[in-house]
Amino acid sequence: GTPNSTLPRLRTNIRFQSFRMKPWQSLLPSVLWAAVIAFLLFSSGDQVPRWSLFQRIPQFDKIVHALLFGSLAWLLLYGFEQQQKFRHQRLGSVLAALSLGLLYGGLTETLQYLLPSGRTADFMDFLADAAGIFAAFCLRLLWKRRLHGSLS
């Protein structure tokens, strides 16, 4: 054919390829969020913002842990779901996300115990991390069920 007849097809192919995500790109938001978590958990107490209103809420620090790690789990679940090797393996993406979230939660508490950062390790913080991770999994499951009408 003529050069003009192939031009629209080339544009379509280029546009389609630009939306394909590389495996590391799908996990980048979770890596960045993990860095934010590390900053917050390893900063000295005077560097972390404190609001008197929230300090009155019982166990507010546990709520913060659950929200931080629940958000991490949500981002990990999304990232693994976007990767080709996990796209049709829902169980694999869930296990990878949950395992990494729990390992990271355990690692941060262990490092708080081992490093002289002025922070202390707390098993209850780890349990709050785990609760946030599992809550994110349940919420994502419900969200996907509502969105797609199924669990896949």
Side-chain angles (χ1 to χ4, degrees):
T2 64
N4 289 338
S5 65
T6 59
L7 190 59
R9 189 173 56 140
L10 282 174
R11 285 185 183 160
T12 303
N13 287 341
I14 291 169
R15 199 174 311 132
F16 175 75
Q17 290 176 355
S18 68
F19 287 104
R20 292 180 64 196
M21 211 179 278
K22 295 179 180 171
W24 65 268
Q25 289 173 323
S26 65
L27 291 173
L28 188 59
S30 57
V31 170
L32 294 174
W33 187 245
V36 169
I37 291 173
F39 172 77
L40 292 172
L41 294 183
F42 293 107
S43 297
S44 64
D46 58 345
Q47 292 177 327
V48 177
R50 296 187 185 272
W51 297 285
S52 60
L53 170 69
F54 295 121
Q55 288 180 332
R56 290 186 226 154
I57 299 172
Q59 302 297 320
F60 181 70
D61 65 320
K62 305 305 182 243
I63 296 169
V64 170
H65 273 265
L67 290 172
L68 289 172
F69 281 85
S71 300
L72 177 64
W74 185 282
L75 292 171
L76 285 167
L77 285 164
Y78 174 79
F80 282 119
E81 288 170 358
Q82 297 306 306
Q83 293 187 24
Q84 288 294 332
K85 75 180 201 178
F86 287 111
R87 187 166 301 212
H88 301 291
Q89 299 174 2
R90 187 171 53 98
L91 182 60
S93 64
V94 167
L95 288 177
L98 295 179
S99 298
L100 278 175
L102 290 171
L103 283 171
Y104 192 63
L107 177 67
T108 58
E109 290 304 317
T110 302
L111 289 175
Q112 284 182 355
Y113 174 76
L114 295 173
L115 297 176
S117 64
R119 304 296 296 247
T120 57
D122 184 358
F123 185 70
M124 296 306 289
D125 285 348
F126 174 72
L127 290 180
D129 300 344
I133 289 166
F134 287 111
F137 165 72
C138 293
L139 289 172
R140 186 145 178 92
L141 190 66
L142 290 172
W143 178 72
K144 289 185 75 165
R145 175 182 275 181
R146 184 176 182 106
L147 187 67
H148 300 295
S150 71
L151 294 177
S152 60

